[in-house]
Amino acid sequence: MFTGLVQAVGKIVSRSGNKLLINSDEAFSELVYGESIAVNGCCLTLESCQGSTLAFHTLEESLRRTNLGTLPVGSPVNLERALRLGDRLGGHIVQGHVDIAVKVLKCSRMADGDFELSVELPGQFAGLVVEKGSIAIDGVSLTVAGTGMEHFSVRLIPVTLQETALRDRLPGSMVNLEFDVIGRYILRMMDLREGSSGSSGGITMATLQEAGFL
């Protein structure tokens, strides 16, 4: 379990078969074999640590579903160690289970001075993105600023631009998305109710909005 608050930025050193080597710009203390670390929002298991170089085993599923399989060697990646009980939950609940990798459409400074990042949103996931809701992009906890039919946007504060790999994501770059886990369960329950009874069983978009979920 993670919070989406990036602790360090690393670079891909090599990717060979199921082995991924990452060099971190910050030396983590007391890393242990087998612990979970989110790399661009993808939960991976640490196999070894030699100095600032971290080694991970990557499943084919992880490489296929995330941008870890396509980013060139030398690309920056976001790193976050797993949440400990008692830590502050400053972002939102992030599982490290990437749903999909999508293209960056736009990254630019707006007229009001804010920096906006706009990315693709495939139609099958549209119901999981709501304005002012939470989303993880490359493992960074962000708030949805706006939505469209096939895209959504977030605004990035200066510290996010300075301290995460999102500063290097240009139009055409692939980024990992993890949708809010609460929204995923709600959508799944609605699908099951509709499939089993032919109706929503009393749960509709209107009732969800009244209950404060939307």
Side-chain angles (χ1 to χ4, degrees):
M1 195 71 70
F2 306 91
T3 68
L5 300 185
V6 172
Q7 296 170 317
V9 174
K11 287 188 177 181
I12 297 176
V13 176
S14 67
R15 181 179 52 237
S16 177
N18 56 15
K19 299 296 181 184
L20 178 67
L21 296 184
I22 303 290
N23 189 68
S24 174
D25 66 0
E26 180 175 321
F28 289 111
S29 62
E30 301 178 351
L31 287 175
V32 297
Y33 170 79
E35 77 168 85
S36 297
I37 296 178
V39 181
N40 267 4
C42 179
C43 180
L44 299 178
T45 299
L46 181 68
E47 286 200 335
S48 67
C49 175
Q50 296 183 353
S52 59
T53 301
L54 313 179
F56 302 93
H57 180 98
T58 51
L59 298 171
E60 180 60 31
E61 166 75 0
S62 299
L63 296 177
R64 179 181 59 83
R65 189 179 287 267
T66 75
N67 61 10
L68 297 180
T70 57
L71 286 174
V73 170
S75 297
V77 291
N78 296 318
L79 303 174
E80 181 190 354
R81 297 179 74 178
L83 178 69
R84 295 179 298 186
L85 289 177
D87 282 352
R88 293 185 178 88
L89 187 61
H92 72 282
I93 296 174
V94 177
Q95 295 181 299
H97 302 162
V98 172
D99 291 292
I100 191 172
V102 299
K103 285 184 180 181
V104 172
L105 299 177
K106 182 178 69 173
C107 46
S108 60
R109 192 171 299 279
M110 308 299 290
D112 59 11
D114 288 349
F115 196 91
E116 183 180 71
L117 181 70
S118 178
V119 304
E120 289 179 329
L121 179 61
Q124 67 267 35
F125 297 109
L128 292 171
V129 179
V130 296
E131 191 170 340
K132 304 306 178 186
S134 296
I135 193 163
I137 302 181
D138 272 355
V140 182
S141 175
L142 297 165
T143 301
V144 176
T147 61
M149 292 300 294
E150 298 179 342
H151 75 280
F152 73 92
S153 62
V154 296
R155 298 292 179 99
L156 305 179
I157 62 174
V159 74
T160 303
L161 288 171
Q162 295 165 10
E163 303 297 335
T164 77
L166 291 183
R167 62 176 178 258
D168 295 293
R169 302 302 186 242
L170 302 175
S173 300
M174 301 297 291
V175 292
N176 297 327
L177 300 184
E178 181 185 329
F179 302 106
D180 183 51
V181 63
I182 297 174
R184 285 191 294 192
Y185 278 114
I186 291 173
L187 198 62
R188 176 61 173 164
M189 286 189 293
M190 290 179 65
D191 287 342
L192 290 174
R193 283 176 176 267
E194 290 174 353
S196 62
S197 64
S199 67
S200 62
I203 299 178
T204 65
M205 296 301 290
T207 57
L208 288 175
Q209 187 171 18
E210 291 174 1
F213 286 108
L214 302 176

